[in-house]
């Protein structure tokens, strides 16, 4: 439902499109449940590392496994992203669902970067080798024991996301009405989780 812009919001330099959609009433367990539903449904995200002299460098990455609020990836250890992570462990992971407009941002740290982690065999799935190739030497096979096969573990430190509360048609109608009336569109909920919330999710197994 569209909402009017207030003088107080202007005077306090508040972004009304954000402020009017903040959700501070939904229980945190439910917020995480709906977050996981979004990320699990998308399978792939945009993973950003930070390169000296350049800044954020982003690429699409398939999620090998989500473990609570944290994420595991498999990647080729020869990739330049690993050079980035040697200098800066910070990672940003984003998701965007163009059908619903839902989006997710996860900021955290690469706490594991290893080609010998036993979890590689657990999360490896058929088709991963398509991105590695097989040299035919019995070693560089694109299989879990390939020395190039490297696990990245993203430990989340801050999460924000927006979830639509309207249908696609309702979203368009809301935006059109707000545009024509000078009001502010209110089509979903903004949520955020800080480190203490994220740790609680890990501990409770939400």
């Amino acid at each position: 439902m569209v909402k009017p812009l207030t003088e107080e919001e202007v005077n306090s330099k508040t972004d009304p499109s954000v402020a009017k959609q903040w959700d501070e009433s939904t229980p945190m367990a439910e917020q995480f449940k709906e977050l996981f539903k979004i990320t699990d449904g998308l399978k792939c995200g945009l993973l950003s590392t930070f390169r000296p002299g350049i800044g954020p460098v982003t690429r699409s990455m398939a999620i090998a496994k989500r473990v609570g609020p944290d994420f595991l990836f498999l990647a080729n250890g020869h990739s330049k992203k690993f050079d980035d992570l040697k200098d800066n462990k910070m990672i940003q992971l984003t998701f965007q669902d163009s059908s619903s407009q839902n989006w997710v941002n996860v900021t955290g740290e690469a706490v594991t970067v290893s080609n010998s982690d036993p979890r590689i065999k657990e999360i490896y799935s058929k088709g991963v080798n398509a991105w590695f190739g097989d040299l035919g030497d019995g070693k560089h096979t694109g299989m879990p024991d390939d020395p190039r096969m490297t696990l990245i573990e993203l430990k989340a430190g801050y999460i924000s996301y927006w979830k639509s509360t309207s249908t696609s048609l309702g979203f368009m109608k809301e935006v059109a009405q707000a545009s024509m009336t000078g009001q502010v569109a209110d089509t979903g909920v903004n949520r955020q989780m800080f480190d203490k919330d994220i740790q609680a999710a890990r501990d409770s197994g939400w």
Side-chain angles (χ1 to χ4, degrees):
M1 181 181 296
V2 295
K3 296 179 178 178
L5 174 65
T6 66
E7 185 175 350
E8 180 182 358
E9 288 169 331
V10 174
N11 291 339
S12 62
K13 298 183 179 179
T14 297
D15 181 346
S17 67
V18 174
K20 292 182 183 299
Q21 298 185 88
W22 275 124
D23 177 12
E24 298 178 343
S25 60
T26 301
M28 192 57 68
E30 183 65 22
Q31 292 191 35
F32 273 100
K33 179 180 178 181
E34 294 188 352
L35 164 69
F36 298 152
K37 184 176 181 180
I38 294 173
T39 59
D40 292 350
L42 292 175
K43 308 298 183 183
C44 290
L46 292 175
L47 183 77
S48 298
T49 52
F50 297 85
R51 190 163 299 169
I54 294 177
V57 178
T58 306
R59 76 285 293 165
S60 179
M61 293 281 290
I63 308 301
K65 185 177 181 179
R66 177 184 60 77
V67 183
D70 306 314
F71 297 84
L72 303 180
F73 305 86
L74 290 176
N76 192 321
H78 293 172
S79 165
K80 288 187 177 181
K81 67 174 71 68
F82 292 99
D83 292 332
D84 300 340
L85 292 172
K86 286 179 183 178
D87 295 316
N88 189 337
K89 298 294 186 184
M90 181 174 286
I91 292 178
Q92 183 179 42
L93 174 64
T94 58
F95 299 87
Q96 172 75 52
D97 184 348
S98 59
S99 63
S100 65
Q101 306 303 322
N102 293 340
W103 59 260
V104 176
N105 171 76
V106 182
T107 302
E109 182 179 0
V111 294
T112 303
V113 179
S114 171
N115 66 346
S116 60
D117 193 296
R119 290 174 293 179
I120 290 176
K121 291 185 177 180
E122 297 173 13
I123 64 177
Y124 182 90
S125 61
K126 186 177 181 180
V128 171
N129 63 336
W131 306 105
F132 286 77
D134 185 348
L135 187 60
D137 62 354
K139 183 178 181 180
H140 300 90
T141 60
M143 302 302 286
D145 56 356
D146 186 320
R148 299 170 297 165
M149 191 68 64
T150 307
L151 180 143
I152 300 174
E153 179 181 6
L154 166 58
K155 183 177 182 181
Y158 173 75
I159 299 171
S160 59
Y161 75 99
W162 182 87
K163 177 181 177 294
S164 174
T165 55
S166 62
T167 63
S168 297
L169 181 58
F171 180 92
M172 291 187 291
K173 286 183 176 179
E174 177 95 359
V175 172
Q177 182 182 359
S179 178
M180 290 186 294
T181 62
Q183 298 188 81
V184 181
D186 181 9
T187 56
V189 288
N190 275 315
R191 293 168 175 166
Q192 60 182 345
M193 292 89 164
F194 295 94
D195 189 63
K196 63 180 178 59
D197 305 312
I198 296 169
Q199 189 56 53
R202 292 191 190 100
D203 294 342
S204 63
W206 289 340

